[in-house]
């Protein structure tokens, strides 16, 4: 009995040894002939092989979350790849770059940028926070009249905007602040220009009323403004941000307020019954600066409104009441 057991154990030992040797030979052949890799598919379509599934997926996940750390903030990828382990002959190379590009190209990129605003209007776009801050800093250092209106807003959009250089943005946004004396000289010359010159700013109506006399030549001579009839005491509002350069009585204008809006643009508000602004005041668009009256050369309560650019009177109806 004992002899039979010994023979049985020897037989199984030989078989196990042969099995181990066979497995070792197979593993040896596989190691030198084949390479374990992952077959990658996207939406059921084969897109390549990768050796490291985790590394590839981590790279895709990071791009989804952080983009390219430049203009692309993140990417919305709807479908992620699937991986299947397989053995391939030595010499077959991984397709990591192609796999990565194919996957991210299916996503929707969101671009990060800063919009430079003048009030609520987006004027320019820059790529970095530092550029946006630099624009605001330079406008404040230059004491631009609109410095308090300029701001920036961080945005994420699927459309890539055209970026503007810092110097170009500052030069375009800068509005010179007029140097104001107690009461600056008022241009009363009958100098008109009928061209519709862009002002570079949006105006609001100073009053609501009926137009009784338009700009240009009339029977009594050249009219350099627009007359809007309304009741005495009606508040007169500044048409845009600016600095008051004159506030007082001025001949045929009667009680007059003049506001400089920078870059040679001025507005005149004449025949006022009362004046609430003073020379040197910085006023915002819509600020009440005076009240309608009939002072000076006037036949009834109305506002005489002038818009002057470089000293030349422009037709207010090119910008208002049209």
């Amino acid at each position: 009995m004992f002899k039979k057991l010994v023979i049985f154990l020897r037989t199984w030992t030989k078989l196990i040894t042969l099995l181990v040797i066979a497995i070792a030979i197979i593993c040896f052949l596989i190691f030198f002939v084949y390479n374990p890799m992952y077959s990658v598919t996207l939406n059921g379509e084969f897109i390549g092989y990768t050796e490291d599934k985790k590394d590839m997926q981590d790279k895709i996940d990071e791009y989804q979350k952080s983009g390219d750390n430049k203009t692309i903030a993140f990417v919305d990828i709807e479908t992620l790849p699937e991986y299947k382990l397989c053995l391939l002959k030595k010499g077959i190379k991984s397709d990591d770059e192609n796999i990565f590009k194919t996957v991210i190209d299916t996503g929707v990129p969101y671009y990060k940028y800063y919009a430079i605003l003048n009030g609520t209007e987006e004027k320019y776009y820059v790529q970095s926070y530092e550029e946006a801050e630099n624009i605001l800093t330079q406008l404040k250092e230059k004491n631009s009249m609109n410095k308090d209106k300029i701001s920036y807003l961080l945005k994420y959009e699927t459309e890539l905007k055209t970026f503007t250089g810092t110097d170009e943005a500052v030069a375009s946004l800068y509005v010179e602040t007029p140097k104001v004396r107690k009461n600056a000289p008022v241009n009363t010359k009958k100098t008109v220009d009928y061209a519709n010159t862009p002002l570079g700013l949006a105006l609001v109506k100073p009053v609501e009323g009926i137009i009784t006399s338009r700009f240009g030549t009339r029977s009594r001579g050249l009219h350099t403004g627009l007359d809007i009839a309304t009741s005495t005491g009606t508040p007169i509002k500044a048409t845009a941000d600016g600095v008051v350069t004159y506030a007082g009585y001025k001949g045929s204008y009667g009680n007059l307020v003049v506001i400089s809006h920078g870059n040679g643009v001025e507005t005149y508000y004449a025949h006022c019954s009362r004046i609430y602004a003073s020379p040197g005041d910085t006023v915002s668009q819509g600020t009440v600066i005076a009240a309608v009256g009939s002072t000076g050369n006037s036949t009834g309560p109305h506002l005489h409104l002038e818009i002057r650019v470089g000293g030349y009177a422009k037709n207010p109806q090119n910008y208002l009441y049209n």
Side-chain angles (χ1 to χ4, degrees), residues 280-294:
D281 286 354
T282 299
V283 295
S284 299
Q285 187 177 66
T287 300
V288 175
I289 54 172
V292 170
S294 187

Side-chain angles (χ1 to χ4, degrees), residues 150-197:
I150 306 300
S151 60
Y152 59 81
L153 179 66
L154 174 60
K155 304 198 76 174
Y156 296 93
E157 300 285 350
T158 56
E159 177 189 357
L160 181 61
K161 301 291 186 180
T162 300
F163 296 133
T164 303
T166 299
D167 292 341
E168 181 183 347
V170 171
S172 179
L173 291 168
Y174 174 74
V175 178
E176 183 180 5
T177 301
K179 295 179 175 62
V180 181
R181 292 178 281 177
K182 186 173 181 180
N183 249 337
V186 176
N187 184 358
T188 59
K189 293 180 179 179
K190 300 291 184 177
T191 49
V192 300
D193 181 0
Y194 292 91
N196 186 0
T197 304

Side-chain angles (χ1 to χ4, degrees), residues 125-144:
Y125 304 97
V126 294
Q127 191 170 346
S128 69
Y129 165 81
E130 290 75 18
E131 290 175 290
E133 273 289 317
N134 192 17
I135 290 171
L136 267 63
T137 299
Q138 288 194 43
L139 289 171
K140 289 177 181 177
E141 289 175 349
K142 293 174 179 288
N143 196 30
S144 179

Side-chain angles (χ1 to χ4, degrees), residues 250-265:
K250 190 66 178 179
S252 61
Y253 282 106
N255 287 327
L256 172 68
V257 177
V258 179
I259 299 177
S260 173
H261 305 285
N263 297 333
V265 180

Side-chain angles (χ1 to χ4, degrees), residues 213-255:
S213 184
R214 300 185 185 275
F215 176 86
T217 304
R218 59 184 184 179
S219 59
R220 289 175 290 170
L222 187 63
H223 192 221
T224 53
L226 190 69
D227 290 348
I228 306 103
T230 187
S231 57
T232 298
T234 298
I236 300 171
K237 300 175 183 178
T239 60
D241 297 351
V243 176
V244 176
T245 58
Y246 187 93
Y249 197 88
K250 190 66 178 179
S252 61
Y253 282 106
N255 287 327

Side-chain angles (χ1 to χ4, degrees), residues 95-113:
D95 306 302
D96 287 5
E97 289 303 318
N98 180 63
I99 293 170
F100 178 71
K101 185 176 185 306
T102 301
V103 173
I104 66 172
D105 283 351
T106 65
V108 178
Y110 282 78
Y111 299 98
K112 172 184 175 181
Y113 61 89

Side-chain angles (χ1 to χ4, degrees), residues 4-61:
K4 287 182 178 180
L5 179 62
V6 170
I7 294 171
F8 176 79
L9 290 174
R10 285 178 178 175
T11 303
W12 274 104
T13 301
K14 289 178 180 179
L15 288 174
I16 292 171
T17 302
L18 290 173
L19 182 62
V20 170
I21 293 171
I23 291 173
I25 292 172
I26 291 170
C27 290
F28 178 82
L29 291 173
I30 290 174
F31 180 80
F32 282 94
V33 178
Y34 295 96
N35 189 29
M37 298 184 79
Y38 289 91
S39 171
V40 186
T41 58
L42 184 66
N43 292 318
E45 182 180 345
F46 172 76
I47 58 174
Y49 295 107
T50 182
E51 293 182 357
D52 194 328
K53 167 187 173 181
K54 183 178 182 303
D55 183 66
M56 172 56 64
Q57 192 57 52
D58 286 348
K59 185 177 179 181
I60 293 170
D61 292 343

